[in-house]
Amino acid sequence: MSGSEDLVRRLPNDIGGFAAGSVQRVEHDLLPWEKSCHALADVLDFTKIINTEEKRRGVEALGETMIGQLSYYERWIVAFANILFAKQILSPTELAMKMAEVEARHVDAGDARG
Amino acid sequence: MTHTSHIHDDGSHHDHDHPHAEISVGEKPGYYAVMETAVRELLIAKGLITANDIRHQLEVLDSRTPALGAKVVARAWVDPGFKARLLADGRAACEEFGISFYDDTQLIVLENTPAVHNLIVCTLCSCYPRPVLGLPPDWYKLKPYRARAVSEPRVVLREFGTIIPDDVEVRVSDSTSAVRYLVLPMRPAGTENLGEEQLAALVTRDAMIGVIPVTLDQEVGQ
């Protein structure tokens, strides 16, 4: 196989059988936001807003570069945002504004604490 | 997860000049954490989900640990009727045992025997029997395990210190969003006099993924 057909046959998630390094038994306790992201994912699944398979495909659709550079829950939340845009539940502008507001909240809190 | 007001449900009050040991205070959240808060709050504001849904699910996540799976395994070891039901329909047997399934998944329990060793993986992502084991370890979600468990399981098992004799078949089960697996490890020899609770204490998460056996000196080995 000369190359490009592999890209067609295999989406970025589909790594079963590939060569890879040895297994390092790494683990970490989830950060609070990661745990919240997990709970959000479950709730989105229960409420049929984004099911597990849509989430998996949403991560896949991020492409290899992003998949390679973002951590596990970073991929999830970005995939959720994209899926919610595609479903027209959220708009990119709406999310950008809300993110600015959330950030400002923390800046204020930091200032208040001196 | 966001800043909470200083109102305590129990009506207690104390001096708030000192920082709480809680998360979030003062520390500026990262880009993705901000995105998570923003998405969640927008969906709540639109009435699509509720803050209570999230709180409840955080509690559910906290309630799921490998200790649940270990109890299931120990029960299967001491109760042949339960074991038969567990192997026939993992989800129904766990539910009978009092473990609720909060997701829409089926559970297939794979029995290790002197002739067959089972290993579970999710090559595509990170599907895992979360209702009975909690969240998967990082290595389960990373490329080396996902990529190689299906093509060279014996080599992967060796990396966990597990040597499977050549005459024992190794079966690898690849999970999906709808079908999850749990390994029923072999009961170690020398445990004939142990009670169900003592048996459960021997069963580790990794043994239920299938990367190590259950051994009597588990706590020493780990």
Side-chain angles (χ1 to χ4, degrees):
Chain A
M1 247 172 290
S2 63
S4 71
E5 60 264 47
D6 257 359
L7 299 173
V8 179
R9 289 201 178 99
R10 291 252 196 178
L11 288 165
N13 284 29
D14 192 7
I15 60 171
F18 281 5
S22 61
V23 178
Q24 307 297 317
R25 293 166 81 169
V26 287
E27 359 198 333
H28 81 287
D29 288 331
L30 296 193
L31 298 170
W33 86 266
E34 293 179 316
K35 200 161 158 190
S36 182
C37 186
H38 201 113
L40 176 64
D42 287 338
V43 171
L44 289 172
D45 186 33
F46 306 152
T47 49
K48 318 259 183 233
I49 298 171
I50 299 175
N51 69 31
T52 306
E53 180 58 16
E54 288 174 311
K55 177 183 72 188
R56 193 192 66 69
R57 275 190 273 124
V59 168
E60 197 164 68
L62 298 177
E64 202 160 2
T65 309
M66 240 198 272
I67 290 174
Q69 292 190 26
L70 271 57
S71 74
Y72 185 76
Y73 287 103
E74 288 171 358
R75 297 194 288 263
W76 277 25
I77 193 61
V78 175
F80 291 160
N82 287 338
I83 296 165
L84 293 167
F85 298 155
K87 293 191 176 201
Q88 299 191 321
I89 291 172
L90 297 184
S91 75
T93 309
E94 201 177 10
L95 181 62
M97 286 170 64
K98 189 70 180 179
M99 284 180 70
E101 181 202 315
V102 172
E103 220 154 6
R105 202 185 289 165
H106 285 279
V107 171
D108 292 347
D111 291 348
R113 274 161 214 287
Chain B
M1 292 292 105
T2 55
H3 285 266
T4 53
S5 62
H6 287 138
I7 298 163
H8 294 254
D9 287 343
D10 60 3
S12 69
H13 64 281
H14 49 271
D15 181 5
H16 284 108
D17 287 335
H18 65 88
H20 275 198
E22 291 163 345
I23 36 192
S24 86
V25 173
E27 216 171 284
K28 200 163 173 275
Y31 177 76
Y32 300 96
V34 168
M35 189 183 291
E36 190 277 328
T37 303
V39 168
R40 175 165 36 83
E41 290 188 1
L42 284 169
L43 295 175
I44 291 170
K46 286 171 190 289
L48 294 168
I49 62 173
T50 68
N52 212 38
D53 291 338
I54 299 286
R55 269 195 296 274
H56 176 254
Q57 189 55 24
L58 284 168
E59 283 175 18
V60 170
L61 290 175
D62 279 339
S63 73
R64 303 312 165 106
T65 72
L68 283 177
K71 282 184 190 169
V72 171
V73 167
R75 173 61 59 88
W77 283 345
V78 301
D79 179 346
F82 179 75
K83 179 175 152 183
R85 293 194 295 283
L86 185 68
L87 295 174
D89 184 339
R91 178 172 177 149
C94 286
E95 284 173 337
E96 162 203 320
F97 197 59
I99 300 173
S100 62
F101 275 55
Y102 58 81
D103 54 12
D104 196 16
T105 56
Q106 283 309 306
L107 182 70
I108 295 175
V109 177
L110 307 160
E111 184 185 15
N112 281 351
T113 68
V116 176
H117 181 88
N118 288 284
L119 183 66
I120 64 169
V121 65
C122 177
T123 61
L124 283 180
C125 44
S126 54
C127 294
Y128 188 72
R130 293 195 277 125
V132 283
L133 292 189
L135 303 182
D138 289 345
W139 56 260
Y140 184 88
K141 306 189 284 190
L142 292 171
K143 184 174 181 182
Y145 185 75
R146 287 169 47 201
R148 296 172 50 233
V150 285
S151 52
E152 43 180 11
R154 288 174 197 270
V155 183
V156 169
L157 284 165
R158 266 206 297 279
E159 288 166 16
F160 285 87
T162 303
I163 314 281
I164 302 296
D166 286 345
D167 60 344
V168 174
E169 181 188 342
V170 174
R171 284 188 198 152
V172 184
S173 297
D174 194 356
S175 317
T176 71
S177 58
V179 180
R180 310 294 169 87
Y181 301 94
L182 179 77
V183 174
L184 175 59
M186 281 196 286
R187 178 172 175 167
T191 57
E192 295 74 15
N193 298 322
L194 296 187
E196 194 175 328
E197 224 169 288
Q198 293 166 301
L199 288 169
L202 298 174
V203 181
T204 63
R205 176 197 70 197
D206 290 359
M208 293 180 279
I209 297 175
V211 291
I212 57 169
V214 174
T215 55
L216 261 177
D217 57 352
Q218 203 76 69
E219 54 278 40
V220 182
Q222 289 298 291

